[in-house]
Amino acid sequence: RKEVEQDPGPFNVPEGATVAFNCTYSNSASQSFFWYRQDCRKEPKLLMSVYSSGNEDGRFTAQLNRASQYISLLIRDSKLSDSATYLCVVKTGANNLFFGTGTRLTVIP
Amino acid sequence: DTGVSQDPRHKITKRGQNVTFRCDPISEHNRLYWYRQTLGQGPEFLTYFQNEAQLEKSRLLSDRFSAERPKGSFSTLEIQRTEQGDSAMYLCASSLGGSWNNEQFFGPGTRLTVL
């Protein structure tokens, strides 16, 4: 079983729409959780950390459910510039990160 | 530019050849990571250094792969006797240790194509 599972999409949404991505992780001992963004042919970049109480950064809201081992990312009022692949990332124990396959988002004008 | 840099950005080689990639981390970062990413997949962890010590290696890192960070600054990843399955993007990342939530900053990657 993979450490992190994500729906690969693609998600095609109109500008202004709200879109939600989900992922699940297999190791209950996982300690830290993140969403990374990766543009086509670019390196991944940290979008936001995910805290147990949930956290918001502008139009982006991340939530964590430790009991269900489930992480979500909500994007409100989608912009064209939000088009990218969103990677769910989990850190377990040591320092290496486990990445999901990524969910591809295309925001359509 | 004070970010993570990698060289070369692209490498095309024939099966059986050896290749070496270089990563220069952000200067004050003591932790350095190598990942491999294939098309349609997320990055997969290969190995991790704290200063010059290689502290962890993935099972993905076969005997043909070796990584070094001799002075605790730049790192090299060598692949011997390359195979077509080695074709991938090789990403380097660095972070500043000491924080539970230390962000890893990625370099632009080296895209390897094995013919």
Side-chain angles (χ1 to χ4, degrees), chain A residues 34 38 43 91 94-96, chain B residues 31 37 56 100-101 104 107:
Chain A
F34 311 90
Q38 187 170 26
E43 71 272 21
K91 187 164 76 171
N95 293 277
N96 50 300
Chain B
R31 294 180 178 177
Q37 186 173 25
E56 192 168 345
W100 69 274
N101 208 17
Q104 292 188 19

Side-chain angles (χ1 to χ4, degrees), chain A residues 24-35:
Chain A
T24 56
Y25 60 95
S26 60
N27 191 334
S28 59
S30 298
Q31 300 167 333
S32 306
F33 310 89
F34 311 90
W35 284 99

Side-chain angles (χ1 to χ4, degrees), chain B:
Chain B
D1 187 351
T2 57
V4 179
S5 61
Q6 292 187 245
D7 182 70
R9 296 290 304 275
H10 303 273
K11 178 71 177 178
I12 300 174
T13 191
K14 292 183 178 178
R15 192 173 50 188
Q17 297 295 305
N18 299 345
V19 295
T20 300
F21 310 142
R22 177 179 170 124
C23 170
D24 286 89
I26 293 171
S27 59
E28 64 269 25
H29 285 184
N30 59 340
R31 294 180 178 177
L32 187 147
Y33 313 80
W34 285 99
Y35 292 85
R36 180 174 69 187
Q37 186 173 25
T38 53
L39 196 63
Q41 301 296 317
E44 295 174 296
F45 169 77
L46 292 178
T47 190
Y48 149 65
F49 290 85
Q50 178 153 316
N51 300 312
E52 66 276 9
Q54 188 174 18
L55 296 185
E56 192 168 345
K57 291 196 287 187
S58 162
R59 286 170 295 184
L60 292 175
L61 211 66
S62 77
D63 291 344
R64 298 184 297 106
F65 288 68
S66 62
E68 294 183 343
R69 195 182 183 197
K71 297 181 181 179
S73 56
F74 74 91
S75 175
T76 57
L77 178 68
E78 181 184 14
I79 309 174
Q80 296 182 325
R81 305 181 303 282
T82 52
E83 302 173 355
Q84 287 184 323
D86 297 332
S87 295
M89 175 74 85
Y90 289 84
L91 292 162
C92 175
S94 71
S95 71
L96 189 60
S99 166
W100 69 274
N101 208 17
N102 48 313
E103 178 181 353
Q104 292 188 19
F105 293 85
F106 283 81
T110 295
R111 183 172 296 280
L112 172 66
T113 302
V114 181
L115 302 176

